[in-house]
Amino acid sequence: MATQRLFFAISLPDAMQQQLVRWRADTFPAEAGQPVAAASLHLTLAFLGEVAPETSRRLQTLASRIDQPVFDLELNDAGHWPRPGVVWLGCQRAPRGLLQLASLLRAQAARHGCHQSPQPFHPHITLLRQATQPVALPPRGFHWRFHVPAFSLFASEYSRGRTRYRTLASWPLRSQDPHALLSSS
Ligand code: 3AM
């Protein structure tokens, strides 16, 4: 079987996708860049590149054993990276659960030969691509919050001039134990 282009990521609830798409249309002019389709909005945890089936199976087995708690994501930051041409949404302070999850997945990927960028992890949701010209960013003050109960492995597939992301598998994060919360308060 052929290799697949894979990445681990967090997907957004449908309602959040729709809200962000509406906000994006009101916030950025059409010439700012190429909007990412609502269903493709995601937060990448670890990019794996082209992966052979055996490595993909191993990484999925490891992912299924991850025992990390659920967390909430607050989107209250935006930025522009002119070189890759990306306008993004992110968080001023990334939750610890998110950083730990990404760090685990990246370490497992690196141990299985998937090159990991030496750049520090900057969690973001890409809103626009091909945004290589200066873009006016919205003033801070916006924020959306959503709960992250799971993470997924996606295949990035290119056909008929379009890239589509297909979910291959998803794994739940550990729910907060209400007893643990009570006893720690
Ligand atoms: O949409 P974001 O920015 O989260 O940019 C690609 C996209 O991330 C990134 O993987 C996600 C799914 O395609 N990506 C593509 N090539 C990459 C590479 N060589 C890469 N990330 C790191 N290194």
Side-chain angles (χ1 to χ4, degrees), residues 9-86:
I10 290 166
S11 49
L12 276 57
D14 288 356
M16 177 65 50
Q17 291 175 348
Q18 298 310 323
Q19 250 185 318
L20 288 185
V21 164
R22 280 196 296 272
W23 177 79
R24 177 178 64 188
D26 291 342
T27 305
F28 299 99
E31 63 276 15
Q34 182 70 41
V36 174
S40 296
L41 291 170
H42 65 273
L43 188 151
T44 300
L45 296 162
F47 177 73
L48 307 179
E50 290 291 328
V51 177
E54 179 58 25
T55 306
S56 168
R57 274 194 292 276
R58 285 192 189 165
L59 289 174
Q60 291 189 52
T61 302
L62 291 172
S64 72
R65 294 182 190 146
I66 285 180
D67 182 25
Q68 285 285 310
V70 294
F71 53 87
D72 284 353
L73 257 185
E74 182 153 14
L75 301 175
N76 54 5
D77 195 15
H80 179 211
W81 295 329
R83 256 210 321 173
V86 163

Side-chain angles (χ1 to χ4, degrees), residues 42-183:
H42 65 273
L43 188 151
T44 300
L45 296 162
F47 177 73
L48 307 179
E50 290 291 328
V51 177
E54 179 58 25
T55 306
S56 168
R57 274 194 292 276
R58 285 192 189 165
L59 289 174
Q60 291 189 52
T61 302
L62 291 172
S64 72
R65 294 182 190 146
I66 285 180
D67 182 25
Q68 285 285 310
V70 294
F71 53 87
D72 284 353
L73 257 185
E74 182 153 14
L75 301 175
N76 54 5
D77 195 15
H80 179 211
W81 295 329
R83 256 210 321 173
V86 163
V87 170
W88 52 265
L89 266 185
C91 11
Q92 290 172 38
R93 270 193 68 172
R96 189 135 59 105
L98 168 66
L99 298 178
Q100 283 173 345
L101 178 61
S103 161
L104 258 174
L105 291 168
R106 284 167 178 248
Q108 291 174 346
R111 279 204 297 279
H112 285 77
C114 304
H115 172 77
Q116 295 302 293
S117 161
Q119 305 253 29
F121 175 56
H122 188 295
H124 66 277
I125 294 166
T126 297
L127 290 178
L128 302 174
R129 297 196 187 282
Q130 295 160 35
T132 49
Q133 300 304 309
V135 174
L137 292 171
R140 276 186 178 176
F142 58 88
H143 67 97
W144 292 276
R145 200 183 177 89
F146 65 96
H147 185 64
V148 179
F151 66 100
S152 305
L153 179 67
F154 292 87
S156 171
E157 298 173 339
Y158 185 80
S159 83
R160 291 190 230 135
R162 271 198 60 186
T163 299
R164 285 187 182 77
Y165 300 140
R166 188 161 60 89
T167 311
L168 298 183
S170 297
W171 299 273
L173 294 167
R174 183 181 6 105
S175 304
Q176 290 285 3
D177 177 356
H179 300 295
L181 280 182
L182 280 178
S183 58

